[in-house]
Amino acid sequence: MLSKAALRLVSAVSPRRMKLLLGLALLAYAASVWGNFVSMRSIQENGELKFESKIEEIIEPLREKIRDLEKSFTQKYPPVKFLSEKDRKRILITGGAGFVGSHLTDKLMMDGHEVTVVDNFFTGRKRNVEHWIGHENFELINHDVVEPLYIEVDQIYHLASPASPPNYMYNPIKTLKTNTIGTLNMLGLAKRVGARLLLASTSEVYGDPEVHPQTEDYWGHVNPIGPRACYDEGKRVAETMCYAYMKQEGVEVRVARIFNTFGPRMHMNDGRVVSNFILQALQGEPLTVYGSGTQTRAFQYVSDLVNGLVALMNSNVSSPVNLGNPEEHTILEFAQLIKSLVGSGSEIQYLSEAQDDPQKRKPDIKKAKLMLGWEPVVPLEEGLNKAIHYFRKELEYQANNQYIPKPKPARIKKGRTRHN
Ligand SMILES: NC(=O)c1ccc[n+]([C@@H]2O[C@H](COP(=O)([O-])OP(=O)(O)OC[C@H]3O[C@@H](n4cnc5c(N)ncnc54)[C@H](O)[C@@H]3O)[C@@H](O)[C@H]2O)c1
């Protein structure tokens, strides 16, 4: 039926109309193909857009993380002066991660020198110099000075040695080796590379002095077999070695006889009077004074000492020089001042007087004034405030790490404690 109708329709259409119909059909087909193509394109474009925005969503947080990482890597160092090649020195600091050594590192780095710190981290900490790690002028070497060291330097500040009684008495043989073999090794290095060496000696070479204040030409009063001899005699023989190398080998030496020093990065529980009082005041414990508290002590702030060490190294003074603060204060004055600076309600507790507790300890610094133009300038209160701030931060840090240091009793001599 249907095919007959179709045949009739076709036979009724002339060839011309047929062509027209065919053309129309072709046009309709082409239009439909184009339509499909256009709609497929737009689907594809939408897909691409969606895909791109999805990628963007994933990448953005990664970019953020990279930006954060970059920020943490581009560490901000303290400002460093530019020194020309001829003024810039290659400086080795043994014991440079310790209390004094780390402040000396700061000064020499900021002055624009190249500094190599060598330390075995017995009493020093990486944290003391971590702000320089990665700086192009700085290098930190984990090394024990009892072993030889082969590097090229122009100056050597030889500070490596435990300095406080509990630390140097902890292993007396090691203290002796550090001060004797260690000093020989550093003098040998100085000789080999033609460097100048400064020895961090100590007021302890005067021992229990019979002369007040102590001048550099006083030979001292040291017990060679007492508990402190490992340090006192170790430093005395270190001085002897310096002058033997100077006379025999022509090595340029400088000897600083350092008196009591305090400041940030000092050891919190070394049993010394300043650290004990600050710790006791901050922890709300009684400040322990041995005897009446009228005995006097003199402390220099660490930046004064560092300036003195640098002035001595760069001077032409090869004989020993005292570096200390001659301003005396009674132990009681220290206790009251620290209590008020901390704002502590701690009471002052008087304990029985310690045997052999020296009544006076004071450097004579005329030589340093005259020959180096050096004298301490930081007022006691200003220095104490900085030390208190440091101790407070350390206590917070250590509390977060579950470690609370306790002040040690003052050092023991002949079975009794006494102030350092
Ligand atoms: N701080 C003072 O009041 C004072 C007083 C007189 C003399 N000094 C002298 O100044 C120097 C520095 O004293 P400080 O108060 O900074 O003491 P510190 O203990 O903080 O520093 C000494 C540094 O020497 C390092 N050290 C010890 N033995 C070593 C070894 N065998 N090899 C390599 N490194 C070693 C320690 O790890 C530490 O970093 C010492 O030589 C000390 O005798 C200090």
Side-chain angles (χ1 to χ4, degrees):
M1 256 302 271
L2 200 67
S3 57
K4 274 185 190 166
L7 270 172
R8 237 183 283 134
L9 188 68
V10 171
S11 58
V13 178
S14 65
R16 214 169 145 243
R17 274 190 185 153
M18 199 62 163
K19 277 184 192 162
L20 195 67
L21 277 173
L22 262 171
L24 280 172
L26 268 173
L27 262 176
Y29 176 72
S32 87
V33 169
W34 177 249
N36 280 347
F37 174 74
V38 167
S39 72
M40 272 176 69
R41 254 320 277 266
S42 82
I43 287 167
Q44 193 184 353
E45 273 172 5
N46 277 343
E48 272 171 10
L49 275 176
K50 275 188 192 152
F51 186 61
E52 273 171 16
S53 71
K54 251 285 173 275
I55 287 178
E56 201 57 29
E57 264 174 40
I58 297 166
I59 282 180
E60 192 43 39
L62 291 176
R63 275 204 201 107
E64 194 79 28
K65 275 196 182 131
I66 289 169
R67 275 195 290 268
D68 286 349
L69 273 175
E70 274 174 353
K71 256 188 239 159
S72 71
F73 281 133
T74 50
Q75 195 179 341
K76 298 261 180 300
Y77 297 106
V80 166
K81 266 189 221 155
F82 172 77
L83 282 185
S84 65
E85 190 82 20
K86 84 172 167 47
D87 297 325
R88 193 167 60 235
K89 294 202 166 56
R90 298 161 304 170
I91 300 177
L92 165 64
I93 306 178
T94 72
F99 160 49
V100 176
S102 62
H103 287 280
L104 181 61
T105 300
D106 289 351
K107 159 99 180 127
L108 295 172
M109 281 294 296
M110 289 197 265
D111 283 352
H113 298 289
E114 289 173 18
V115 176
T116 301
V117 163
V118 158
D119 206 296
N120 71 351
F121 304 107
F122 171 48
T123 51
R125 296 184 307 175
K126 289 198 183 98
R127 211 143 73 78
N128 288 344
V129 288
E130 70 179 355
H131 47 287
W132 294 115
I133 289 174
H135 193 286
E136 59 182 350
N137 286 354
F138 181 76
E139 199 172 349
L140 177 62
I141 304 177
N142 186 341
H143 177 85
D144 194 311
V145 292
V146 171
E147 303 298 329
L149 179 72
Y150 300 101
I151 57 172
E152 294 292 325
V153 285
D154 306 308
Q155 291 186 342
I156 303 169
Y157 287 86
H158 180 38
L159 274 63
S161 165
S164 69
N167 291 332
Y168 65 65
M169 287 182 193
Y170 173 76
N171 185 344
I173 296 173
K174 180 68 188 190
T175 302
L176 275 167
K177 282 186 181 170
T178 297
N179 279 298
T180 54
I181 304 171
T183 303
L184 275 181
N185 281 333
M186 290 310 113
L187 284 163
L189 171 66
K191 178 190 153 193
R192 191 173 60 78
V193 299
R196 181 180 288 181
L197 180 141
L198 181 146
L199 171 72
S201 185
T202 170
S203 56
E204 302 291 331
V205 297
Y206 300 124
D208 206 353
E210 300 137 314
V211 170
H212 291 283
Q214 294 85 50
T215 51
E216 289 85 351
D217 49 18
Y218 176 54
W219 288 357
H221 181 224
V222 175
N223 175 0
I225 54 168
R228 303 161 58 191
C230 59
Y231 181 70
D232 301 2
E233 297 288 19
K235 289 287 186 183
R236 284 168 69 94
V237 78
E239 286 195 10
T240 310
M241 287 169 174
C242 286
Y243 293 109
Y245 265 78
M246 184 176 94
K247 284 184 195 117
Q248 195 175 321
E249 305 290 350
V251 173
E252 286 190 35
V253 297
R254 304 286 179 264
V255 173
R257 290 189 180 149
I258 302 170
F259 283 68
N260 283 340
T261 307
F262 76 101
R265 301 186 200 144
M266 70 193 291
H267 302 280
M268 298 227 293
N269 47 357
D270 64 3
R272 295 188 189 201
V273 64
V274 170
S275 43
N276 260 13
F277 284 167
I278 297 179
L279 210 49
Q280 288 166 332
L282 285 172
Q283 294 180 329
E285 286 176 10
L287 274 64
T288 46
V289 169
Y290 296 90
S292 62
T294 52
Q295 61 275 49
T296 62
R297 293 291 179 273
F299 283 92
Q300 69 184 324
Y301 187 65
V302 65
S303 62
D304 281 334
L305 170 62
V306 163
N307 290 336
L309 291 175
V310 174
L312 176 59
M313 173 64 103
N314 297 309
S315 74
N316 53 10
V317 186
S318 58
S319 54
V321 178
N322 286 343
L323 294 176
N325 192 332
E327 198 182 291
E328 282 178 285
H329 293 272
T330 66
I331 293 286
L332 198 57
E333 276 167 14
F334 272 118
Q336 279 157 346
L337 182 59
I338 289 172
K339 205 166 103 78
S340 82
L341 292 176
V342 169
S344 158
S346 296
E347 58 185 49
I348 293 176
Q349 189 181 24
Y350 293 91
L351 301 176
S352 59
E353 194 171 334
Q355 198 182 334
D356 297 332
D357 201 7
Q359 289 305 300
K360 265 170 168 263
R361 190 174 286 169
K362 174 180 167 163
D364 181 312
I365 58 162
K366 279 192 217 85
K367 187 170 175 184
K369 272 189 191 170
L370 187 74
M371 305 192 80
L372 308 178
W374 173 89
E375 64 182 310
V377 293
V378 178
L380 178 66
E381 218 173 291
E382 189 184 315
L384 281 176
N385 271 328
K386 288 183 179 161
I388 290 167
H389 176 74
Y390 169 79
F391 271 48
R392 206 173 249 135
K393 290 261 161 240
E394 271 303 281
L395 284 176
E396 279 168 25
Y397 177 86
Q398 296 188 353
N400 291 338
N401 288 281
Q402 315 292 312
Y403 169 71
I404 312 285
K406 285 275 162 211
K408 285 215 175 84
R411 71 169 174 238
I412 295 171
K413 194 177 179 190
K414 292 189 187 153
R416 302 283 299 274
T417 53
R418 72 182 180 102
H419 285 297
N420 191 45

